Amino acid sequence: MRVGILGGGQLGRMLALAGYPLGHTFRFFDPSPEAGAGEVGELVNGSYDEEEALKRFADGLDVITYEFENVPVEAARLLEQYAPVHPNPAALEAAQDRLVEKRYFRTLNIPTAQFRDVDSRADLDAAVEALWLPAVLKTRREGYDGKGQRVLREPSDLDAAWSDLGDKALILEQFVRFDRELSIVATRSTGGDFRYYPLVENTHVDGILSRTVAPAPDVSERQQRAAEGYAHRIQTALDYAGTLAVELFEVDGLLMANEMAPRVHNSGHWSIEGAETSQFENHIRAVTGQPLGSTGLRGQATMLNLIGTTPDPADMLKVDASHLHLYSKAPRPGRKLGHITVRSDHLERLETSVAALEALISGTEE
Amino acid sequence: MRVGILGGGQLGRMLALAGYPLGHTFRFFDPSPEAGAGEVGELVNGSYDEEEALKRFADGLDVITYEFENVPVEAARLLEQYAPVHPNPAALEAAQDRLVEKRYFRTLNIPTAQFRDVDSRADLDAAVEALWLPAVLKTRREGYDGKGQRVLREPSDLDAAWSDLGDKALILEQFVRFDRELSIVATRSTGGDFRYYPLVENTHVDGILSRTVAPAPDVSERQQRAAEGYAHRIQTALDYAGTLAVELFEVDGLLMANEMAPRVHNSGHWSIEGAETSQFENHIRAVTGQPLGSTGLRGQATMLNLIGTTPDPADMLKVDASHLHLYSKAPRPGRKLGHITVRSDHLERLETSVAALEALISGTEE
């Protein structure tokens, strides 16, 4: 099939690399002529409100998907005239607005932190009154990698946070003292078949994912089932085809949904080496109507993000059991430039390699 | 690095798919505008004797490699003016002529079938006298997938074989009653570092590789070492950087070299899923001067070629533990259109899936 991908970043690039062996071809839509996915497929440049550019992109495509959740819903709806768009653009609507998303979770009986809609300074004061401090004030839209949020610890933090964010639609969330961050990645086929990856444990630094351990240690069967249930309810309700990620907080054993991403997700990159079928291949299988592949583990894996700068690739490749993925992006502080996955059947070997890579990565940051 | 690949078939395609994550970009040179690798990189069309086209291809490349052994040596030598060419073009000279190749094996103390140079009908009679029948008459150049060869069983077969092939430079080889066909794939880095894949067992049908089992069952440590020694001597003698395959006959436990391919090889395709680092990734690491990756096994794997036609991809993907690789080539009898690898940690599960796929494949052929 001729597959179109909205967005030409690393996720689009990895989707295409996983999809070529299945016999598909790829075209990307991205505002930037430098989009890294352009190296591995046709790149159509344009902005998402440019109907002519979207039409040029859609011409001759059999199916359209997207690699990021901030695709304007209108653009996705427009493209549905030309080819099926998977996942369902309704998933974009649910994921683009933190308030809508959290209400959606509640509707589906998925636990979340408590939250309040904040449209005015008076709303903020009332919300703080209701939820107590500490709490987190977030923009409803376009926050990612920790951007667009302020932690409120003291009543005196409110003024500064309000002056930073008060011109946008906001949500106040209870500050969750979580034990750890987990996520579940799941793929649903157009025919309603499901595949779940095991829960993974994520570590964020400065709001950006730094490390994923797969599978997450010490996860109970009950927790895995609960997380699968969340993904199942979301994907069923949205008649969703493709890969979805749900970020979770573990609090005293309970899993609370933090947010969802209606796409392949950074916390699923380990699956390229660590699972029988990667999240990328399963997404492509799903959106092209092919049967899904096994999400069974191949040993254990740890994924480390390369953010801002990267160590010398030769040094990283020398590390036993390491698998390098560079995204062909220019270095910039806070930018995800690549990732490296260590996969092994032996935990000790894996830990030795991860320690060596972490030393290389922190050496670069100094 | 900007990597140029001579040849735009499936091997070039799979080299690029393995090389993008390492941060490289790819350009292919191929006479055909339909070359399947063109989907995953820049394609320069031209013929190998067209100096202008070769120069256009070489412009701006950091390193050049090749995906097939019949690249004219003159073209490879010419390109060395613009960028390093790996493997050493001397490897092309050794591999393009069966007589030179067999003499080369003998020089390196690698056992082969007995052989005789045949330049005339009188030579043929003398060679048959010396080697006895049965024997195999082969063109010295451009034979592949069983083309350009005739088995001589009776003296009466000589006339027909001579009239078919007698206008070309020939070699007569002793007919080897082998117990099975094996091959070894090895990668050598520019720095002289070596990695060996385990011996695999190959089954040919009508002269075309049909199935590879990795690792080959019942291989002794001594046999593995012997095969590694052959590859080591060839790669050292040629100051070779990249992946090399040596096809072997097992006869009463002894391994005789049949032929070598100075490139990634069909009998190494299983390594995409079945080894820690695939033959493709190791080839790219080698020619770009990066450290090599582990060739350790990840379970067991069986690779089946899809020749002439392919079953419905959905049927193949439904089979447990299967990994499909289509080459984007138009169907044609005898043409390799793709392959499918079954990988598992459990032999029984693997065998069940292989049987299911073989049934699908033979169903298509009927």
Side-chain angles (χ1 to χ4, degrees):
Chain A
M1 281 191 174
R2 285 155 299 182
V3 180
I5 299 181
L6 296 166
Q10 66 265 23
L11 301 179
R13 180 178 161 103
M14 290 188 276
L15 283 167
L17 292 176
Y20 278 113
L22 301 175
H24 307 302
T25 59
F26 292 87
R27 183 187 297 161
F28 303 95
F29 186 85
D30 199 284
S32 167
E34 259 82 61
E39 289 178 356
V40 303
E42 192 186 342
L43 177 63
V44 174
N45 290 125
S47 86
Y48 285 100
D49 55 9
E50 221 182 311
E51 198 168 328
E52 272 313 304
L54 289 168
K55 267 166 98 166
R56 212 163 59 239
F57 164 72
D59 183 50
L61 293 178
D62 297 307
V63 65
I64 295 169
T65 186
Y66 42 88
E67 60 135 36
F68 79 122
E69 63 271 33
N70 289 322
V71 170
V73 177
E74 308 71 43
R77 296 268 184 229
L78 177 91
L79 288 166
E80 284 187 302
Q81 296 171 32
Y82 303 101
V85 176
H86 294 301
N88 189 339
L92 292 171
E93 286 176 332
Q96 283 174 1
D97 184 317
R98 288 180 195 281
L99 182 69
V100 174
E101 182 182 51
K102 284 232 158 37
R103 284 184 177 150
Y104 199 71
F105 289 151
R106 291 292 179 99
T107 310
L108 297 173
N109 212 11
I110 297 168
T112 68
Q114 286 192 275
F115 59 91
R116 286 291 185 282
D117 189 5
V118 174
D119 285 327
S120 66
R121 179 60 204 252
D123 280 355
L124 177 59
D125 292 332
V128 168
E129 187 101 348
L131 303 185
W132 298 13
L133 292 184
V136 192
L137 186 64
K138 298 180 177 178
T139 58
R140 284 171 51 179
R141 292 181 161 270
E142 298 197 343
Y144 66 96
D145 286 351
K147 294 187 179 88
Q149 42 185 287
R150 295 289 176 282
V151 179
L152 312 180
R153 296 181 192 281
E154 313 281 339
S156 60
D157 293 339
L158 268 68
D159 283 343
W162 182 255
S163 91
D164 278 357
L165 303 177
D167 57 335
K168 304 199 181 67
L170 301 173
I171 178 174
L172 188 75
E173 295 178 9
Q174 180 189 26
F175 185 93
V176 179
R177 294 176 202 277
F178 55 81
D179 299 315
R180 57 175 175 170
E181 297 173 276
L182 302 171
S183 61
I184 181 130
V185 173
T187 310
R188 181 177 182 265
S189 73
T190 46
D193 199 14
F194 287 86
R195 291 287 186 286
Y196 305 101
Y197 292 87
L199 278 164
V200 296
E201 183 174 326
N202 302 316
T203 309
H204 288 79
V205 175
D206 299 331
I208 305 179
L209 182 67
S210 167
R211 176 163 70 160
T212 297
V213 174
D218 305 319
V219 165
S220 69
E221 181 73 15
R222 191 188 52 74
Q223 287 177 315
Q224 178 70 28
R225 290 279 161 272
E228 292 180 5
Y230 301 170
H232 189 283
R233 277 172 260 162
I234 295 167
Q235 292 188 313
T236 303
L238 291 168
D239 191 17
Y240 190 107
T243 295
L244 167 88
V246 187
E247 292 186 43
L248 304 160
F249 295 134
E250 181 179 337
V251 186
D252 290 336
L254 177 77
L255 300 182
M256 296 169 62
N258 179 34
E259 57 183 62
M260 67 185 226
R263 53 167 169 83
V264 289
H265 192 256
N266 198 166
S267 72
H269 291 2
W270 64 274
S271 64
I272 297 174
E273 290 85 12
E276 294 211 7
T277 312
S278 76
Q279 64 164 350
F280 301 100
E281 179 172 341
N282 262 338
H283 183 80
I284 295 296
R285 290 194 192 199
V287 303
T288 59
Q290 286 172 324
L292 302 182
S294 163
T295 53
L297 287 170
R298 299 198 284 188
Q300 299 178 79
T302 294
M303 190 260 355
L304 303 174
N305 268 338
L306 305 173
I307 299 168
T309 59
T310 60
D312 182 342
D315 290 337
M316 292 190 280
L317 290 172
K318 261 179 223 153
V319 175
D320 179 46
S322 69
H323 299 273
L324 180 62
H325 298 263
L326 296 174
Y327 305 154
S328 197
K329 288 161 74 177
R332 188 197 298 162
R335 194 176 207 198
K336 290 174 180 171
L337 303 178
H339 74 269
I340 188 156
T341 298
V342 181
R343 189 218 69 87
S344 180
D345 296 317
H346 307 286
L347 187 57
E348 208 172 305
R349 188 179 158 197
L350 184 136
E351 285 174 347
T352 304
S353 289
V354 170
L357 288 170
E358 288 187 322
L360 283 174
I361 292 169
S362 68
T364 316
E365 284 165 353
E366 274 157 24
Chain B
M1 282 191 173
R2 285 154 299 182
V3 180
I5 299 181
L6 296 166
Q10 65 265 24
L11 300 180
R13 179 177 162 102
M14 289 188 277
L15 283 167
L17 292 176
Y20 278 112
L22 301 177
H24 306 302
T25 58
F26 292 88
R27 183 186 296 161
F28 303 95
F29 186 86
D30 199 284
S32 166
E34 258 82 60
E39 288 178 355
V40 303
E42 192 187 340
L43 177 62
V44 174
N45 290 125
S47 86
Y48 285 99
D49 54 9
E50 223 181 309
E51 197 168 328
E52 271 314 305
L54 290 169
K55 267 165 97 167
R56 211 164 59 239
F57 165 71
D59 183 51
L61 293 178
D62 297 306
V63 64
I64 295 169
T65 186
Y66 42 89
E67 60 135 36
F68 78 121
E69 64 271 35
N70 288 321
V71 170
V73 177
E74 307 71 42
R77 296 268 183 227
L78 177 92
L79 288 167
E80 283 188 302
Q81 297 172 33
Y82 303 102
V85 176
H86 294 301
N88 189 338
L92 292 170
E93 286 176 332
Q96 283 174 0
D97 182 318
R98 289 180 194 282
L99 183 69
V100 174
E101 182 181 52
K102 283 231 159 38
R103 283 184 179 149
Y104 199 70
F105 289 151
R106 290 293 178 98
T107 309
L108 296 172
N109 213 12
I110 297 169
T112 69
Q114 287 193 275
F115 59 92
R116 288 290 185 284
D117 189 5
V118 173
D119 284 327
S120 65
R121 179 60 204 251
D123 281 354
L124 176 59
D125 291 333
V128 167
E129 187 101 347
L131 303 185
W132 297 14
L133 293 184
V136 191
L137 187 65
K138 297 180 177 179
T139 58
R140 283 172 51 179
R141 291 180 161 272
E142 298 195 344
Y144 66 97
D145 285 352
K147 294 189 179 87
Q149 43 184 284
R150 295 289 176 283
V151 178
L152 311 179
R153 295 180 192 281
E154 312 283 337
S156 61
D157 292 340
L158 269 67
D159 283 342
W162 183 255
S163 91
D164 279 358
L165 303 177
D167 58 336
K168 305 201 180 65
L170 301 173
I171 179 175
L172 188 74
E173 296 177 9
Q174 181 189 24
F175 186 92
V176 178
R177 293 173 202 281
F178 55 80
D179 299 314
R180 57 177 175 168
E181 295 174 277
L182 302 172
S183 62
I184 182 133
V185 172
T187 310
R188 181 176 181 266
S189 73
T190 46
D193 199 15
F194 287 86
R195 290 289 185 286
Y196 305 101
Y197 292 87
L199 278 163
V200 296
E201 182 173 327
N202 302 316
T203 309
H204 288 79
V205 174
D206 299 331
I208 305 180
L209 182 67
S210 166
R211 176 163 68 159
T212 297
V213 174
D218 305 319
V219 164
S220 69
E221 183 72 16
R222 191 186 53 73
Q223 287 176 315
Q224 178 68 30
R225 291 279 162 273
E228 291 180 5
Y230 301 170
H232 190 283
R233 276 172 259 162
I234 295 167
Q235 291 188 313
T236 303
L238 290 168
D239 191 18
Y240 190 106
T243 294
L244 166 89
V246 187
E247 292 185 44
L248 305 159
F249 294 134
E250 181 179 339
V251 187
D252 289 337
L254 176 77
L255 300 182
M256 296 169 63
N258 179 34
E259 59 183 60
M260 68 186 224
R263 53 167 170 84
V264 289
H265 191 255
N266 198 165
S267 72
H269 291 2
W270 63 274
S271 64
I272 297 175
E273 290 84 15
E276 294 211 8
T277 313
S278 77
Q279 65 163 351
F280 300 101
E281 179 172 341
N282 262 337
H283 184 80
I284 294 298
R285 290 196 192 198
V287 303
T288 59
Q290 286 172 326
L292 303 181
S294 163
T295 52
L297 287 169
R298 299 198 285 187
Q300 300 178 76
T302 295
M303 190 262 352
L304 304 173
N305 268 336
L306 305 173
I307 299 168
T309 60
T310 61
D312 183 342
D315 291 338
M316 292 189 280
L317 291 172
K318 260 179 227 155
V319 175
D320 179 47
S322 69
H323 299 273
L324 181 61
H325 299 263
L326 296 174
Y327 306 153
S328 198
K329 289 159 74 177
R332 188 196 298 162
R335 195 176 206 199
K336 291 174 181 171
L337 303 178
H339 74 269
I340 188 156
T341 297
V342 181
R343 189 217 71 86
S344 180
D345 297 314
H346 307 285
L347 187 58
E348 208 171 302
R349 189 179 158 198
L350 184 136
E351 284 173 347
T352 304
S353 288
V354 170
L357 288 169
E358 288 186 325
L360 283 174
I361 292 169
S362 68
T364 317
E365 286 165 351
E366 271 156 25

